[in-house]
Amino acid sequence: MRLPGLYNGPMQDLIRKLLSGLGEDPDREGLLNTPKRVEKALAFLTSGYHADVDQVLNGALFTVDYSEMVIVKDIDFYSLCEHHLLPFFGKCHIAYIPSDRVIGLSKIPRLVDVFSRRLQVQERLTQQIADTIGEKISPLGVAVVIEATHLCMSMRGVEKQNSRAVTSAMIGAFRDTARTRMEFLELLKLGSRGGSASPGMSATHECIAEE
Ligand SMILES: [Zn+2]
């Protein structure tokens, strides 16, 4: 993928200024190529802004006679919190009930990348993934659950170091039918991997944008 803005001078100048502002000497040997590397890394980590959902899903929407729940669990994702520009990362779980179309399974993690490789807040990331699946295949319902660790909290020692934020977006049958929602959550068995997450935990544990 071409990454727009890559290697342009202005961003590298800004990163040099940032290093100076932090009390560093941008001209010392170890930092000489850092502006170029940081720019490249940031361009990749925000490449979702330039991704086209239709292109990602191109050729991977199929008409089927299937109306049972489709679940893709444990999709790894990495994103940047827009409040601190620090990573938050974890697992994304997606379910939907098709009406007449499905998305090729391999495309679902790519869809997560499109929205996670941006500056985000966890709630919006969760909602955007759900809304996009809703728009593209008009299923009977969509559910997205994200469990994430926010480095802006754990590295700075805010609240519990090992807490994870859990957010969910439920559309259609998952919102309207408790049994469907419970079936999905039961299949996820959140927290069964020894973590501290539970479906009752709210986004209040998430990165808090203080002044
Ligand atoms: Zn943050």
Side-chain angles (χ1 to χ4, degrees):
M1 189 193 327
R2 257 188 89 240
L3 300 172
L6 192 57
Y7 301 131
N8 71 359
M11 199 182 284
Q12 291 182 32
D13 287 346
L14 289 172
I15 295 160
R16 284 174 58 85
K17 284 182 184 140
L18 175 69
L19 290 169
S20 295
L22 293 172
E24 266 291 358
D25 171 10
D27 291 320
R28 77 173 168 82
E29 195 186 348
L31 294 178
L32 275 181
N33 287 319
T34 296
K36 199 200 293 184
R37 289 191 206 99
V38 171
E39 181 181 34
K40 191 177 179 186
L42 285 176
F44 176 75
L45 297 176
T46 58
S47 57
Y49 288 121
H50 309 289
D52 178 344
V53 170
D54 290 318
Q55 212 176 324
V56 167
L57 298 179
N58 185 30
L61 302 182
F62 306 105
T63 302
V64 290
D65 186 16
Y66 181 79
S67 59
E68 297 300 318
M69 194 182 293
V70 175
I71 300 186
V72 183
K73 279 173 64 169
D74 293 329
I75 302 166
D76 288 310
F77 78 92
Y78 296 85
S79 190
L80 289 173
C81 113
E82 70 182 17
H83 302 134
H84 301 92
L85 304 189
L86 287 172
F88 69 96
F89 57 92
K91 302 279 186 192
C92 179
H93 315 290
I94 296 175
Y96 65 92
I97 302 171
S99 56
D100 60 351
R101 278 181 300 168
V102 295
I103 299 174
L105 290 176
S106 68
K107 298 293 185 176
I108 290 181
R110 304 237 0 241
L111 191 62
V112 173
D113 287 341
V114 167
F115 294 104
S116 61
R117 289 179 185 162
R118 300 178 186 203
L119 305 186
Q120 278 288 11
V121 294
Q122 187 177 328
E123 295 93 329
R124 188 173 64 225
L125 173 61
T126 312
Q127 193 68 48
Q128 284 176 333
I129 294 166
D131 288 345
T132 301
I133 294 171
E135 280 165 26
K136 296 304 172 189
I137 57 168
S138 303
L140 300 176
V142 188
V144 177
V145 170
I146 291 181
E147 311 169 72
T149 298
H150 290 248
L151 287 189
C152 59
M153 284 177 55
S154 38
M155 286 184 78
R156 299 186 310 146
V158 181
E159 299 195 37
K160 290 174 190 157
Q161 304 272 318
N162 297 313
S163 68
R164 282 186 289 159
V166 180
T167 48
S168 64
M170 305 278 170
I171 296 175
F174 290 93
R175 185 190 57 220
D176 301 334
T177 313
R179 197 168 53 81
T180 304
R181 188 166 58 244
M182 288 315 295
E183 184 186 339
F184 169 56
L185 294 174
E186 180 62 26
L187 285 164
L188 290 190
K189 291 217 189 307
L190 280 179
S192 63
R193 293 181 304 278
S196 60
S198 70
M201 189 172 165
S202 80
T204 55
H205 285 257
E206 194 182 340
C207 151
I208 292 156
E210 78 275 47
E211 293 306 309

